[in-house]
Amino acid sequence: MRFEYDRFGSVAGGVLTRNAKRLDKALADGLRPPPRLTVSEWAAINRKFPEDAPIPGDWNHETAPELVEIMDALSPHDPCEEVSLIKCAQSGGSASAENWLGFISDLAPGPVLFIQATFKAATAWAAEKFWPMVGASPKLNPDRRGTIRAQGLANGDGSTTQKVLFSRSSGYILLTGANSAADLRQRTVRYAIEDDLDQFPSDLDGQGSPEGMVDERLKVWRSRGLSKRLKISTPTIKGSSKIEAAYQKSDRRRYHFKCPECGSRFVPDWSDIQWADDDHENAYLVPPCCGVPVEHWRKGEMKLADGWLSDQIDGQPVSRVLDEETFQAFRAKMPASRKRGFALLGEISTFQSWGEMAVGFRDAQGDVAKLKTWTNLKRGIVFEVASNTPDYEQLMTLREQDWGVGRMPIGPLVVTLGCDVQGDGIYVEKVGWGPRKESWQLDARFIPGATDVPGEGAWKALDEYSQRGTAFPGGKVLPIDWECVDAGYHTPAAHAYCARRPRRLAVYGRAGWALPLLGRGEAIAYEQQGRRAGRARAGQDDKAYIVGVNNAKLSWYGFLRETMKAVAAAIESATPEVVPVGRVHLSRDTPNDWFEQATAETIEVRMIHGFPDRRWIMMPGRQNHYLDCRVYNEAAAEKLMLDTLTEMDWAALRVDRYAPRDARQGDLLAPALTISPVTPAPVPVAPDPAPQADTYFDVGDSYL
């Protein structure tokens, strides 16, 4: 039966007719299901990059076809519930997550939990990545009636720093940190993104792991088969990497190149990357299928969207090299698993070249910590830590007989001081540095005295010790170039000591495999009263001059092992020693307890809430004060940026510092190590840095 609108008159009838048509359309739009697009199809249509982006304009799958299948696993109609992405740095993984968030806001709205290691990291990601995507993509832009609500609306109904609201539904994106148990326990969510997973704590405030908490937040939606979860991270240490553990529990997909020469499919490996002589910048790939070298510029044509294949199908391992027919047969048999893992390795990444990887590999040789960083970030695989601690009794054989404490050998050009503060005194180690991280232990001692009162006790004695400076060959006496002082104990006294004179830095050691050797510098907050008065305040270490002790110890042990190998090889072959990177020289007067303390820790695996955690622990009956001193010396060398000095810089330092005492007293490292281009006047070449039996100078009578 047709309703007669005309009986209300021409004007009113016309209005009612138009309203009815709009109502019909609104009802139809509400009942019409969203278009059946995959996340990758949505990205190709709607994702835009701003003009100041490295690759501005529309999203293009040809740039990184390996990302297509990763995104499509996150589509609502795909049975996959969890995606684990173990990757190298700057590989497009996070951009895929951003596309998924845009897709959710448009076609599959629901509550989303986005977790970074800290809330600060999550908000930084939103400011640097998410909101620029929203501004550049009309489908998302609130100014163009997009799917994201703008921030700071006058009525208070807009997005906030912590919560991004969707404009067409009650869905939202909640930003939080893995260090906040309250935020992780608050809400039931449909989607979760755990970004930078390996930086999450294993135990949060004694309440379990953040991953376990996220699992509980998804439980209701998962019971309906509607939840989705994405885990993304560069890996860290083998056996304790959270993203590696998630990948191992998945179907473990590897990406196969298609050889441009023979057409075979193969998984690229670092062993396939080669270079001629020392031409690392022009490294190329030698496919394991036909062995015909492939230049980097051809990488794009080797990558297809269907390159992913599980490493095991029907219980049988899949070979690294397959002909096309076999590859496609395996693809057809690969099940649509609920847990999918993708290994986005550096060898396949669009955004770094094989030459860049080869240069990084070359530069990391001899330094275990640098090699770990290269392995994790450039390759995107876990790093296996050598657990063998150098034997301190064998280490004693490295004592050199031609110099001792208070005497400067030929070789060191920069001097640092590391100080470990205790309640009854301060342990100190003075270290000399040369090119390629070669080091000489110039002194190691304990300065007794109280450390709770600024400027008194051990602090006064330490200041006097520091002010004596160091006499270089030739008689020139120069101040210590940089001191790093432990500020985690009696913090205000340590700050007072460092504030008294230049070239001193209060530092706070912190465990963490991804921490840099020397982090950002902000004042350490400390307790003002109570039984912990004067100590660094709990939870405030992220506002300190952080020293990443894990990797520093890794480097130190690596240098010791390589030194012992080089010395043993030279003795066995009766040939001159091949000096390795990080060669360690020890004085004949090095105290015996230094050897025990400098090797007092070892790596142990402990299970934390079901997850393995590799950490440094002190061996029973040992102390580690001199180990901490050496770590702080490494931090001082990092502060001076010694690894950036060129051969010319080191030569200029040698000419300046080894000059006779009555020569000009300029200091190339004051107030910090920043060397301007120097063209020194012609002078005799300084002696060879190899230690000589009579090439030392007694410092005892040379103090200023």
Side-chain angles (χ1 to χ4, degrees):
M1 178 179 176
R2 183 176 181 277
F3 188 82
E4 298 291 338
Y5 294 104
D6 294 343
R7 63 192 177 114
F8 294 99
S10 60
V11 177
V15 171
L16 289 173
T17 300
R18 290 191 294 274
N19 286 344
K21 289 180 178 179
R22 283 196 292 268
L23 182 61
D24 286 344
K25 184 179 185 304
L27 180 61
D29 289 343
L31 296 175
R32 181 183 297 113
R36 189 180 174 85
L37 294 177
T38 64
V39 175
S40 68
E41 289 170 340
W42 183 93
I45 298 170
N46 299 299
R47 175 69 190 271
K48 316 290 181 184
F49 291 94
E51 290 301 319
D52 58 351
I55 308 176
D58 297 341
W59 177 278
N60 186 351
H61 290 317
E62 293 182 1
T63 302
E66 65 272 17
L67 302 178
V68 171
E69 192 166 313
I70 298 171
M71 289 186 283
D72 288 350
L74 298 167
S75 304
H77 50 271
D78 192 294
C80 179
E81 292 181 356
E82 180 179 304
V83 172
S84 300
L85 179 57
I86 183 170
K87 67 181 190 69
C88 64
Q90 301 299 317
S91 55
S94 296
S96 300
E98 295 155 17
N99 290 342
W100 185 37
L101 290 173
F103 175 93
I104 291 171
S105 71
D106 184 23
L107 300 180
V112 184
L113 190 60
F114 182 90
I115 313 107
Q116 274 268 9
T118 64
F119 177 66
K120 184 177 181 180
T123 54
W125 164 84
E128 297 168 10
K129 301 292 182 64
F130 181 79
W131 285 108
M133 174 184 73
V134 170
S137 305
K139 176 62 75 172
L140 308 177
N141 194 328
D143 295 336
R144 304 181 69 170
R145 306 188 68 178
T147 61
I148 303 296
R149 291 193 205 177
Q151 292 179 294
L153 296 181
N155 61 5
D157 198 27
S159 298
T160 64
T161 302
Q162 186 173 14
K163 194 173 184 180
V164 178
L165 300 177
F166 300 159
S167 60
R168 302 174 187 172
S169 70
S170 59
Y172 56 83
I173 304 170
L174 181 67
L175 306 178
T176 187
N179 57 349
S180 172
D183 287 344
L184 292 178
R185 290 185 177 276
Q186 278 183 356
R187 292 171 173 82
T188 296
V189 296
R190 179 178 178 182
Y191 308 107
I193 298 176
E194 294 152 281
D195 197 9
D196 211 6
L197 180 64
D198 267 26
Q199 301 309 307
F200 289 17
S202 298
D203 182 23
L204 183 55
D205 301 332
Q207 302 179 48
S209 70
E211 287 182 90
M213 295 180 186
V214 172
D215 195 60
E216 291 298 313
R217 298 305 94 210
L218 292 166
K219 183 182 292 183
V220 175
W221 287 93
R222 187 172 60 248
S223 68
R224 300 294 186 268
L226 296 173
S227 71
K228 292 275 186 181
R229 184 177 190 175
L230 174 61
K231 298 182 177 184
I232 312 174
S233 188
T234 53
T236 48
I237 300 297
K238 183 176 179 61
S240 61
S241 170
K242 298 177 178 62
I243 192 63
E244 181 205 24
Y247 177 76
Q248 291 299 328
K249 293 176 183 177
S250 71
D251 59 2
R252 300 188 303 275
R253 301 189 179 200
R254 302 179 299 173
Y255 190 78
H256 292 67
F257 277 161
K258 185 177 179 68
C259 180
E261 298 296 333
C262 69
S264 298
R265 299 282 190 136
F266 67 94
V267 177
D269 185 76
W270 176 243
S271 61
D272 301 328
I273 308 300
Q274 300 182 19
W275 50 86
D277 298 325
D278 291 328
D279 190 14
H280 295 78
E281 291 83 355
N282 294 309
Y284 53 86
L285 182 141
V286 179
C289 45
C290 62
V292 179
V294 178
E295 301 296 330
H296 177 264
W297 62 268
R298 302 185 69 183
K299 180 190 283 188
E301 67 182 275
M302 303 171 71
K303 298 202 293 183
L304 302 177
D306 68 347
W308 292 103
L309 193 64
S310 297
D311 66 357
Q312 193 174 72
I313 297 177
D314 288 344
Q316 298 296 320
V318 176
S319 173
R320 186 164 81 97
V321 180
L322 301 167
D323 61 69
E324 182 66 20
E325 183 179 355
T326 305
F327 176 82
Q328 293 300 340
F330 274 128
R331 283 275 300 178
K333 294 167 63 177
M334 191 165 56
S337 53
R338 289 168 46 184
K339 287 191 175 183
R340 295 184 201 166
F342 300 88
L344 195 53
L345 306 183
E347 290 86 349
I348 69 173
S349 174
T350 296
F351 307 105
Q352 69 176 357
S353 69
W354 298 322
E356 181 183 348
M357 294 183 69
V359 169
F361 178 73
R362 177 198 65 194
D363 294 344
Q365 295 308 296
D367 189 329
V368 180
K370 279 190 174 182
L371 186 60
K372 172 193 165 293
T373 300
W374 177 87
T375 302
N376 293 158
L377 300 185
K378 291 296 186 182
R379 287 207 63 199
I381 64 173
V382 292
F383 182 79
E384 190 163 3
V385 176
S387 59
N388 53 318
T389 301
D391 184 272
Y392 76 90
E393 292 182 343
Q394 292 184 10
L395 197 61
M396 289 182 178
T397 63
L398 294 182
R399 284 171 163 155
E400 299 178 15
Q401 299 303 310
D402 54 355
W403 62 285
V405 173
R407 298 178 177 184
M408 170 71 92
I410 294 291
L413 296 169
V414 177
V415 177
T416 62
L417 186 71
C419 307
D420 183 53
V421 180
Q422 301 297 306
D424 59 346
I426 302 172
Y427 286 86
V428 299
E429 184 188 33
K430 184 189 288 189
V431 175
W433 299 90
R436 302 177 71 240
K437 299 190 176 180
E438 191 170 6
S439 67
W440 289 258
Q441 190 215 64
L442 303 180
D443 190 18
R445 66 182 63 224
F446 177 69
I447 300 176
T451 57
D452 56 338
V453 179
E456 300 295 331
W459 294 110
K460 182 178 180 181
L462 177 62
D463 185 63
E464 293 173 354
Y465 174 87
S466 170
Q467 284 300 101
R468 294 171 185 169
T470 305
F472 282 80
K476 210 179 217 186
V477 179
L478 296 174
I480 294 170
D481 294 299
W482 206 271
E483 301 177 37
C484 279
V485 181
D486 168 27
Y489 192 82
H490 292 319
T491 305
H495 273 289
Y497 172 80
C498 293
R500 185 173 182 181
R501 305 187 194 280
R503 310 184 192 189
R504 293 175 178 175
L505 187 68
V507 296
Y508 183 92
R510 182 180 175 187
W513 292 106
L515 291 176
L517 177 54
L518 185 64
R520 60 191 180 277
E522 298 177 25
I524 300 174
Y526 54 87
E527 300 293 346
Q528 303 286 343
Q529 57 187 357
R531 63 183 181 85
R532 288 187 53 82
R535 301 193 186 186
R537 185 176 300 157
Q540 293 297 319
D541 52 331
D542 62 333
K543 296 181 180 179
Y545 287 93
I546 297 296
V547 174
V549 300
N550 281 18
N551 289 322
K553 293 171 184 176
L554 202 62
S555 289
W556 169 236
Y557 278 16
F559 294 154
L560 287 178
R561 283 193 294 268
E562 291 303 311
T563 296
M564 294 172 73
K565 286 181 186 177
V567 171
I571 294 174
E572 182 177 351
S573 62
T575 58
E577 178 189 332
V578 177
V579 179
V581 173
R583 171 58 157 98
V584 179
H585 299 270
L586 301 175
S587 164
R588 68 180 181 216
D589 295 324
T590 300
N592 288 338
D593 63 340
W594 181 92
F595 295 93
E596 290 190 53
Q597 292 192 25
T599 57
E601 297 187 17
T602 188
I603 291 176
E604 182 178 282
V605 179
R606 294 180 177 178
M607 299 302 294
I608 307 295
H609 295 286
F611 293 97
D613 182 39
R614 289 183 183 267
R615 58 179 62 184
W616 289 99
I617 64 163
M618 191 154 44
M619 289 183 276
R622 305 274 283 273
Q623 293 182 324
N624 64 350
H625 307 303
Y626 285 129
L627 176 59
D628 289 342
C629 287
R630 178 59 66 140
V631 167
Y632 299 144
N633 271 298
E634 290 191 34
E638 181 74 7
K639 176 66 176 177
L640 294 170
M641 297 186 289
L642 299 186
D643 60 335
T644 67
L645 298 190
T646 65
E647 292 183 7
M648 183 177 295
D649 294 330
W650 287 110
L653 277 172
R654 177 177 292 278
V655 168
D656 180 79
R657 297 196 158 194
Y658 282 22
R661 186 173 182 173
D662 59 352
R664 61 187 179 87
Q665 294 292 308
D667 182 6
L668 292 178
L669 292 180
L673 199 150
T674 304
I675 297 183
S676 301
V678 176
T679 305
V683 295
V685 177
D688 188 89
Q692 304 295 324
D694 57 351
T695 52
Y696 59 79
F697 294 80
D698 195 333
V699 179
D701 298 327
S702 302
Y703 293 143
L704 292 179

